[in-house]
Amino acid sequence: MRVLGIDPGLRITGYGCLEGDGVRAAVVEAGVVRLMPKSGPTPSVEARLLELDRDLAEMMERLRPDLVAVEALFAHYDHPATAVKMAHARGVILLAARRAGVELAEITPAEVKRAVTGSGRAQKAQMQESVRALLGIREPLDPPDVADALGIAMAAAARSTMPR
């Protein structure tokens, strides 16, 4: 099974594509879609969403996933605006997957942490190190959005191989 995990964002959207099941998967490709320039004027939200849509359509065509997994909407009470901004990117991701005819899975942050570290309360650094170690990646995953996306893909792959 080929799973494309996506960590949505309006500045950086991480993605990681795995072939296999759960933690015994191999990395096909991983990286980020940068929606903000390092210098120059800040593009509008709608311009960034359009760019994300184009990049996702090309990614779906190139990687041909069987399943797209995206982080479920999560709102921290200290940062409610973050959830609203992330929802814009999530909407584009959900639409791109459906448009490509690919099955979708929404994975909660706690489920990703549990699948990768064994604890639904793992810290970010522990998550990143576990993803790297489980997938046999020698160098640190930078930016962290790449590790997050790979963790999402691992959790979705593990969930899809569970007996129902």
Side-chain angles (χ1 to χ4, degrees):
M1 169 177 271
R2 187 171 275 204
V3 180
L4 176 61
I6 302 177
D7 181 35
L10 277 180
R11 293 179 178 276
I12 295 176
T13 291
Y15 72 93
C17 186
L18 300 176
E19 182 94 43
D21 62 338
V23 296
R24 295 185 307 273
V27 178
V28 174
E29 182 178 317
V32 294
V33 175
R34 292 189 186 275
L35 301 170
M36 293 286 288
K38 293 192 183 226
S39 63
T42 301
S44 65
V45 170
E46 55 273 16
R48 287 183 270 165
L49 293 173
L50 181 61
E51 181 180 347
L52 179 60
D53 183 54
R54 278 187 232 147
D55 289 345
L56 288 169
E58 186 274 327
M59 192 182 299
M60 299 287 175
E61 180 68 28
R62 182 178 75 250
L63 297 174
R64 300 217 179 265
D66 300 303
L67 175 68
V68 170
V70 64
E71 189 174 62
L73 194 55
F74 169 75
H76 191 279
Y77 62 89
D78 285 339
H79 308 286
T82 302
V84 173
K85 290 176 186 173
M86 190 171 92
H88 294 333
R90 275 179 37 81
V92 171
I93 294 162
L94 298 177
L95 178 61
R98 281 293 181 223
R99 197 181 288 145
V102 180
E103 183 182 349
L104 269 166
E106 294 187 65
I107 311 290
T108 66
E111 185 178 355
V112 173
K113 292 174 182 181
R114 238 184 338 274
V116 174
T117 70
S119 169
R121 298 178 148 290
Q123 298 298 312
K124 195 119 175 120
Q126 183 184 359
M127 271 291 301
Q128 292 169 358
E129 182 56 29
S130 292
V131 166
R132 193 185 64 70
L134 289 168
L135 293 174
I137 299 169
R138 294 185 181 184
E139 57 281 339
L141 294 163
D142 187 48
D145 310 81
V146 177
D148 293 345
L150 287 167
I152 292 165
M154 291 168 70
R159 181 201 280 177
S160 71
T161 61
M162 288 180 173
R164 297 187 185 211

